[in-house]
């Protein structure tokens, strides 16, 4: 069957009523704010059948037009800067979700293996494991790259060329282009973007991966080990000459796709020396890794917002609330060097002691004698999650796994007359 005909039939699935119903279910699960039309997810759901029928009819007849996205500015995690976010109307989020569900499988099978964000069954921890594995193999010279204004700078014409390579349906192509040209409402003014994919749109992550995929394949074809997470990527090499050549090649290739490496944030690093490099959320240096400064600030900002001294909830409720953040943070950073965790545990308990001081009409932070009045055990009894204790438990579990594997190896060597090869053991958290 010709590729074009198959893709035309695939794209028709976007308009199917069941596809739109499934798309709304995902939009509802994600919640999110109202767009420029002020219609919330709950308001859309009250007339769901009529709203979906209208979308189906407009998409089938080719009369559907996306509404302007509402511009909002949100704080960058761990920074004082703010990031622009486009909030589409609920109806547009439904259509984008249905469109992405059909387009993603078409492109996913050919995406480079070393890109990790915005892809099914892949995530940041997979990217970190890949970087860690390459460093252990001796790829310690690194191009720490930053694409300047990536999502805002993607040329529409080059992106649409990539989309047309696998999508032939005219209505679907018009739909993609319509979302790229979707107006942006900021204040009382509407502007039409000439470049970029709108941050906050459901379809944007897929479109950015489609645009960056040729860069991924080009670097792999040139023999470079690349790990990309959205617009953040690193090239790992075995020597200084190789890494300098890689820098020139990636600079050339990014220009070919209409993007630019940030001149101040792109650099070459030797991971065996002081300084190292960041990727993403973690700092790698001299065979170790730990949270980068922005990640620490983000963690503290999140805990700080939940542990204000004016917090009206009881202590157990506050602890239950912050435990969700601490557990999630531990799950991501548990492989960090051990000195990371005691200071954060101490800081968190200080925040809780300060709340208690406030309720006892005492000023200042929970320091000094407060450690004896409300010792660490006091908070442990109330269920506070401890990063130090969690790391110790992980270490014990790892030792148990290693002991079991070593026992099996001894049994294998005994049963095979000592001829069995030594198995590789997960002797570090990174390989567990």
């Amino acid at each position: 069957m010709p590729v074009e005909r198959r893709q035309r039939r695939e794209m028709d699935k976007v308009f199917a009523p069941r596809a739109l119903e499934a798309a709304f279910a995902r939009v509802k699960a994600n919640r999110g704010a109202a767009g420029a039309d002020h219609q919330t997810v709950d308001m859309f759901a009250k007339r769901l059948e009529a709203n979906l029928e209208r979308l189906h009819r407009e998409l089938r007849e080719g009369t559907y037009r996306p509404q302007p996205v509402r511009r909002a500015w949100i704080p960058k995690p761990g920074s004082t800067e703010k990031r622009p976010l486009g909030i589409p109307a609920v109806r547009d989020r439904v259509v984008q979700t249905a469109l992405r569900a059909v387009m993603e499988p078409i492109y996913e099978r050919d995406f480079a293996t070393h890109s990790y964000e915005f892809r099914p069954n892949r995530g940041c921890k997979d990217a970190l494991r890949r970087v860690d594995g390459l460093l252990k193999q001796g790829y310690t010279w690194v191009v720490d790259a930053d694409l300047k204004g990536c999502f805002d700078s993607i040329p529409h014409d080059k992106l649409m060329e990539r989309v047309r390579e696998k999508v032939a349906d005219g209505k679907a192509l018009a739909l993609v282009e319509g979302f790229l040209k979707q107006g942006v409402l900021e204040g009382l003014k509407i502007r039409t973007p000439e470049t970029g994919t709108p941050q906050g749109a459901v379809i944007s992550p897929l479109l950015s991966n489609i645009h960056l995929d040729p860069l991924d394949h080009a670097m792999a074809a040139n023999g470079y080990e690349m790990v990309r997470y959205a617009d953040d990527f690193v090239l790992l090499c075995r020597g200084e000459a190789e890494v300098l050549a890689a820098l020139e090649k990636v600079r050339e290739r990014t220009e070919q796709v209409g993007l630019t490496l940030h001149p101040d944030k792109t650099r070459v690093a030797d991971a065996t020396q002081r300084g190292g490099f960041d990727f993403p959320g973690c700092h790698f240096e001299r065979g170790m890794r730990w949270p980068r400064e922005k990640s620490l600030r983000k963690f503290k900002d999140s805990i700080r917002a939940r542990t204000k001294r004016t917090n009206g909830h009881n202590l157990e409720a506050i602890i239950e609330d912050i435990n969700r953040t601490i557990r999630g943070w531990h799950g991501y950073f548990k492989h960090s060097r051990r000195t990371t965790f005691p200071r954060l545990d101490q800081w968190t308990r200080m925040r809780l002691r300060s709340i208690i001081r406030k309720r006892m009409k005492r000023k200042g932070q929970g320091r000094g004698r407060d450690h004896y009045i409300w010792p660490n055990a006091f908070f442990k009894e109330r269920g506070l999650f401890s990063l130090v204790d969690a790391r110790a438990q992980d270490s014990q579990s790892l030792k148990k796994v290693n002991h079991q594997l070593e026992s099996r190896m001894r049994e294998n060597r005994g049963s095979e007359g000592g001829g069995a090869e030594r198995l590789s053991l997960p002797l570090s958290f990174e390989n567990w």
Side-chain angles (χ1 to χ4, degrees):
M1 182 185 296
V3 173
E4 181 173 324
R5 286 179 58 197
R6 178 180 59 78
Q7 289 168 344
R8 283 182 184 276
R9 282 218 306 262
E10 286 290 323
M11 297 312 298
D12 285 344
K13 295 177 182 177
V14 175
F15 319 135
R18 290 185 64 180
L20 294 175
E21 290 172 7
F24 173 74
R26 295 187 65 176
V27 170
K28 183 179 179 180
N30 292 332
R31 304 303 297 172
D37 61 356
H38 304 294
Q39 185 180 49
T40 65
V41 172
D42 290 337
M43 292 165 64
F44 189 94
K46 286 181 179 179
R47 301 189 69 250
L48 181 60
E49 185 175 347
N51 285 329
L52 294 183
E53 171 58 31
R54 179 182 176 185
L55 285 178
H56 169 73
R57 184 177 66 255
E58 291 179 356
L59 290 167
R60 184 189 62 212
E61 296 173 355
T63 59
Y64 169 84
R65 298 292 182 273
Q67 298 179 0
V69 299
R70 179 170 65 86
R71 170 70 79 217
W73 292 86
I74 60 173
K76 284 188 176 182
S79 172
T80 58
E81 300 178 15
K82 290 190 175 183
R83 174 185 291 123
L85 182 69
I87 304 176
V90 175
R91 68 191 301 271
D92 295 334
R93 300 208 290 270
V94 171
V95 175
Q96 288 187 23
T97 302
L99 179 61
R100 177 175 175 172
V102 173
M103 288 181 62
E104 192 168 62
I106 295 173
Y107 291 92
E108 177 61 31
R109 57 176 172 258
D110 295 323
F111 278 157
T113 58
H114 55 256
S115 69
Y116 289 91
E117 191 173 21
F118 309 134
R119 296 185 60 187
N121 304 315
R122 286 170 169 252
C124 197
K125 293 183 74 171
D126 300 306
L128 292 176
R129 277 191 286 268
R130 177 61 177 158
V131 169
D132 188 70
L134 288 168
L135 289 171
K136 285 180 169 59
Q137 294 174 42
Y139 292 85
T140 56
W141 283 88
V142 180
V143 175
D144 183 6
D146 186 278
L147 292 171
K148 187 176 181 180
C150 175
F151 298 112
D152 294 330
S153 304
I154 294 177
H156 290 171
D157 56 343
K158 292 183 180 294
L159 173 56
M160 290 305 300
E161 285 178 16
R162 301 280 81 78
V163 175
R164 290 189 186 95
E165 289 176 359
K166 296 187 178 182
V167 175
D169 188 285
K171 289 181 179 179
L173 291 170
L175 200 56
V176 173
E177 196 155 18
F179 286 127
L180 290 176
K181 302 293 185 184
Q182 197 170 2
V184 178
L185 175 64
E186 187 165 9
L188 299 176
K189 295 182 179 180
I190 297 179
R191 67 172 183 84
T192 302
E194 298 180 359
T195 60
T197 60
Q199 295 190 47
V202 177
I203 197 69
S204 289
L206 175 61
L207 294 178
S208 66
N209 272 338
I210 291 173
H211 186 71
L212 291 172
D213 191 55
L215 172 64
D216 295 338
H217 284 289
M219 299 313 296
N222 281 273
Y224 296 116
E225 296 289 353
M226 180 179 184
V227 184
R228 182 172 67 80
Y229 192 75
D231 59 340
D232 189 7
F233 67 88
V234 288
L235 295 166
L236 296 101
C237 305
R238 290 187 180 272
E240 186 175 10
E242 183 184 356
V243 80
L244 293 175
L247 176 59
E248 290 306 310
K249 179 61 67 174
V250 76
R251 182 176 285 118
E252 172 190 330
R253 290 295 185 177
T254 52
E255 290 175 356
Q256 289 177 4
V257 297
L259 299 174
T260 306
L261 291 179
H262 198 294
D264 300 324
K265 297 181 180 179
T266 300
R267 66 190 189 93
V268 168
D270 180 357
T272 66
Q273 303 299 314
R274 287 187 178 275
F277 66 97
D278 294 337
F279 182 84
C282 283
H283 181 79
F284 291 85
E285 181 183 318
R286 294 170 290 162
M288 300 177 288
R289 79 181 194 220
W290 58 84
R292 66 175 184 170
E293 288 301 318
K294 280 189 176 181
S295 300
L296 291 171
R297 288 199 298 271
K298 180 181 178 181
F299 173 81
K300 287 190 172 184
D301 286 347
S302 180
I303 299 299
R304 191 178 284 114
R306 292 168 169 80
T307 55
K308 294 180 179 179
R309 280 178 281 183
T310 55
N311 191 311
H313 297 288
N314 62 48
L315 188 63
E316 285 74 13
I318 295 172
I319 288 174
E320 182 180 357
D321 183 28
I322 65 174
N323 273 350
R324 288 190 286 269
T325 297
I326 302 172
R327 284 196 181 96
W329 198 87
H330 167 260
Y332 189 81
F333 291 108
K334 63 182 177 181
H335 303 313
S336 301
R337 59 181 180 180
R338 66 176 65 250
T339 57
T340 301
F341 305 108
R343 289 175 294 178
L344 292 176
D345 275 349
Q346 292 165 11
W347 181 84
T348 301
R349 288 191 293 263
M350 180 275 292
R351 297 287 304 177
L352 296 174
R353 289 185 180 107
S354 299
I355 292 175
I356 301 174
R357 285 180 63 89
K358 173 71 173 178
R359 292 177 179 179
M360 296 181 69
K361 310 298 183 183
R362 296 166 63 185
K363 297 180 180 180
Q365 296 179 330
R367 302 181 186 275
R369 291 182 62 253
D370 290 347
H371 290 260
Y372 299 98
I373 301 173
W374 304 292
N376 297 352
F378 173 85
F379 298 103
K380 186 174 183 178
E381 290 170 359
R382 282 151 183 80
L384 180 64
F385 185 88
S386 168
L387 293 168
V388 170
D389 290 349
R391 192 184 195 284
Q393 185 175 354
D394 289 339
S395 297
Q396 290 299 318
S397 299
L398 183 58
K399 289 177 182 178
K400 183 177 180 180
V401 171
N402 281 344
H403 177 72
Q404 291 172 346
L405 288 175
E406 286 172 347
S407 298
R408 291 176 187 173
M409 285 197 307
R410 285 193 294 270
E411 292 173 2
N412 290 337
R413 285 197 294 269
S415 63
E416 299 176 21
E421 294 184 1
R422 182 172 177 82
L423 299 176
S424 174
L425 293 179
L427 296 177
S428 69
F429 284 118
E430 289 78 1
N431 294 325
W432 188 26

